[in-house]
Amino acid sequence: MADRMIVFDMDGVLVDVGESYRASIVETVHHITGQAITREQIQEYKNQGGWNNDWALTQKICEDLGQPISYDTAVVEFNKIFFGPSGRGTDGLMAREQWIPQPGLLERIQTRFDFGIFTGRIRFELDLTLERSAPHLRFEAIVTADDVENQKPHPEGLFKIAALDRERPLLYIGDTVDDARAARAAQVPFIGIAAPHHGAALPGLLRAEGARHVLENINQLENVL
């Protein structure tokens, strides 16, 4: 066991979800409302904070477009598109996800740090991605949406991981305002990821929330550890 732990958010940090989660929001909203939204509009909602849950965000966007729906409807319609007919993501937009870390990066870092995950995904989704993209990596602590009563920006997930070993310092890496706010509330140092395609505003927002560093992608992480 290492004496320090890096806790990763999943989406936008370890996995490029532009063609999976973000595309599923676009397609679900169009299916329900008949109206088109852009990735830039989705990012504007994310930058406000409070929209870590993509099902809830889909519901909100539909409402803002004049087509109120229930949360359960948002979940069902989103999941049809995201998981596909199989329900396993192999024939839905989830299959378009791309693992971001370059080969060898996390393996090198793991010689010095333990790894954890704190994500807004449910465990089923997380397991599918890890089984496909990183079955060899060890994550000593995993907290998903299934494991907390309060979603990000609430720090409950980081508190749960910290409680496993109160002497071991944590570092959290995320790509949204909600990730940064969760880290600040838990008094955990934070490194932000702000991919250029998420727009010019995000780096400044993450720094304003206390990010020690803001990187364009996870492959720059070794430069700041």
Side-chain angles (χ1 to χ4, degrees):
M1 177 180 291
D3 59 2
R4 297 174 293 174
M5 176 179 279
I6 297 175
V7 181
F8 298 94
D9 176 45
M10 193 74 176
D11 303 334
V13 175
L14 297 179
V15 180
D16 185 339
V17 296
E19 297 303 319
S20 59
Y21 278 103
R22 298 291 175 100
S24 293
I25 295 173
V26 171
E27 292 201 16
T28 305
V29 169
H30 185 265
H31 172 72
I32 292 171
T33 71
Q35 300 181 61
I37 61 167
T38 66
R39 307 295 177 86
E40 290 77 16
Q41 287 173 296
I42 293 172
Q43 188 62 42
E44 288 173 4
Y45 280 95
K46 293 283 188 179
N47 287 349
Q48 295 171 16
W51 298 111
N52 186 63
N53 181 328
D54 285 347
W55 295 326
L57 178 53
T58 299
Q59 180 191 24
K60 170 64 173 172
I61 294 173
C62 288
E63 178 183 335
D64 287 350
L65 292 175
Q67 185 65 52
I69 58 172
S70 69
Y71 178 76
D72 288 346
T73 296
V75 172
V76 169
E77 296 302 325
F78 183 101
N79 285 353
K80 288 178 184 177
I81 293 168
F82 183 73
F83 289 117
S86 70
R88 296 282 301 176
T90 54
D91 48 1
L93 295 189
M94 187 181 189
R96 299 181 183 180
E97 290 182 346
Q98 298 293 320
W99 189 251
I100 298 173
Q102 295 173 350
L105 171 74
L106 296 182
E107 292 81 358
R108 291 192 300 272
I109 294 173
Q110 196 160 53
T111 64
R112 296 184 287 145
F113 295 86
D114 286 335
F115 286 171
I117 291 176
F118 173 33
T119 176
R121 288 189 182 212
I122 60 174
R123 186 61 183 253
F124 173 69
E125 297 170 17
L126 175 69
D127 286 346
L128 289 176
T129 295
L130 290 181
E131 288 167 7
R132 182 173 66 240
S133 299
H136 61 291
L137 289 176
R138 302 184 316 277
F139 292 94
E140 306 294 335
I142 294 178
V143 175
T144 71
D146 298 323
D147 304 312
V148 296
E149 294 184 7
N150 305 287
Q151 296 189 42
K152 291 182 282 190
H154 196 284
E156 180 181 351
L158 290 174
F159 287 149
K160 283 180 175 289
I161 293 174
L164 298 175
D165 183 348
R166 297 189 183 279
E167 300 301 317
R168 178 173 52 188
L170 303 182
L171 169 66
Y172 190 40
I173 303 177
D175 72 323
T176 67
V177 168
D178 284 337
D179 293 329
R181 290 175 179 171
R184 187 173 63 182
Q187 297 185 330
V188 169
F190 179 74
I191 292 177
I193 303 292
H197 62 265
H198 284 330
L202 185 57
L205 292 172
L206 296 179
R207 291 189 182 96
E209 296 292 343
R212 292 189 172 185
H213 305 280
V214 177
L215 313 176
E216 289 191 357
N217 65 70
I218 196 67
N219 291 303
Q220 299 172 337
L221 180 60
E222 283 183 298
N223 298 333
V224 298
L225 291 179

